[in-house]
Amino acid sequence: MAEQPVATVVSEEFRQPLPQSPLPEQGKGPAVIFIGGFGDEISRIMPYVMLRLPALEDGPETRAYYHWHAGRPDNMEQGAAEICSHIAAYRCNNPGAAVIIIGHSMGASMALRTAHLLNHADGGVYVITLDPVDRGYTPSRPAAVKWWGNAYVVNSLSGHDYIAVMGGRWNSCRQADANLRFDGRNRDEAGLHYIHDNALSLLLSRGCKQGVSLFDLLRRQLITTESANIPAVAGSTNK
């Protein structure tokens, strides 16, 4: 039997860079923001996640996509401030809307930088970091964040993962509410190895000790926020 491929998302050469799709002022439901990693405008890993990810709640939601620098490669803090300005404008038209920020690789660093600039709001702020990378940034829990889920890969069989290693993988994040560890020698539900570029699997796969995905945990957190009668998930952390 032929060996299953290691990668799920393969960069295509000579692609035109994909532009950002900022959060619009007009929209409905939770704001779901996807932030790609270094070179994601070519590899299109997070746009693929944005396209394939099921709805987080019943009803409408508004999705947006940003590069890891949010258009400010020379100053990530300014990029984070730009995303915050878009969130503020969105919330003016959607008071109490939840904000979900999902960052992959270097985009995880931008996700936390952005969350640190946000204020508390009725809808809450939720962050997911997928195999986060950034050697120059120390991850810490933003005050406005209600829940932070983190997934990371160890023992990857993909040679491409050396880029993530060079960038400075965070692995387990001490202040996250949930840390899901995926072993690259194992496979996801589709039979594909866990690797850095397999961001959708890191978000949806239940192939970890908990038997639950970050997507499951996030959905339950959102439901719990809406109804105090539904208990939060216990024992979801694997730090």
Side-chain angles (χ1 to χ4, degrees):
M1 181 176 177
E3 179 72 8
Q4 292 283 347
V6 170
T8 60
V9 180
V10 180
S11 300
E12 296 181 10
E13 295 183 4
F14 310 119
R15 274 184 168 177
Q16 292 297 315
L18 187 71
Q20 297 185 128
S21 298
L23 186 68
E25 292 185 16
Q26 302 296 327
K28 294 182 178 180
V32 188
I33 297 169
F34 299 81
I35 307 180
F38 182 80
D40 193 71
E41 62 270 28
I42 300 297
S43 61
R44 307 188 184 198
I45 293 170
M46 286 302 276
Y48 178 79
V49 173
M50 183 169 69
L51 178 66
R52 298 293 299 273
L53 189 70
L56 286 163
E57 296 181 316
D58 295 333
E61 61 185 45
T62 302
R63 298 187 172 187
Y65 167 73
Y66 294 88
H67 302 324
W68 64 271
H69 47 70
R72 301 294 183 92
D74 56 334
N75 192 321
M76 291 185 68
E77 295 301 329
Q78 288 184 3
E82 185 78 7
I83 297 176
C84 285
S85 69
H86 297 165
I87 293 172
Y90 182 82
R91 274 182 160 168
C92 282
N93 296 303
N94 294 272
V99 173
I100 298 98
I101 309 175
I102 305 173
H104 171 242
S105 192
M106 281 289 291
S109 173
M110 178 57 79
L112 284 185
R113 291 171 192 265
T114 300
H116 272 293
L117 298 179
L118 293 174
N119 297 319
H120 292 274
D122 293 340
V125 179
Y126 304 83
V127 172
I128 285 182
T129 48
L130 303 173
D131 211 15
V133 169
D134 189 346
R135 193 177 301 280
Y137 184 78
T138 301
S140 62
R141 186 185 185 88
V145 167
K146 285 192 172 182
W147 184 83
W148 172 14
N150 177 62
Y152 64 101
V153 179
V154 297
N155 302 316
S156 176
L157 301 179
S158 170
H160 189 248
D161 276 26
Y162 79 91
I163 298 175
V165 174
M166 289 177 61
R169 263 184 170 135
W170 295 352
N171 295 320
S172 180
C173 295
R174 182 176 57 84
Q175 296 180 340
D177 295 288
N179 278 287
L180 302 189
R181 178 182 183 272
F182 293 96
D183 193 316
R185 296 169 296 189
N186 299 329
R187 301 175 190 269
D188 64 12
E189 289 83 346
L192 302 166
H193 285 283
Y194 297 109
I195 63 171
H196 179 71
D197 287 356
N198 193 350
L200 184 64
S201 183
L202 297 182
L203 186 53
L204 294 179
S205 178
R206 297 182 174 93
C208 54
K209 290 182 180 179
Q210 293 80 4
V212 67
S213 70
L214 284 181
F215 180 76
D216 295 331
L217 294 173
L218 175 59
R219 288 196 73 178
R220 295 181 194 183
Q221 288 291 326
L222 293 171
I223 291 171
T224 301
T225 298
E226 293 180 354
S227 174
N229 295 323
I230 301 178
V233 176
S236 63
T237 303
N238 177 29
K239 298 184 180 181

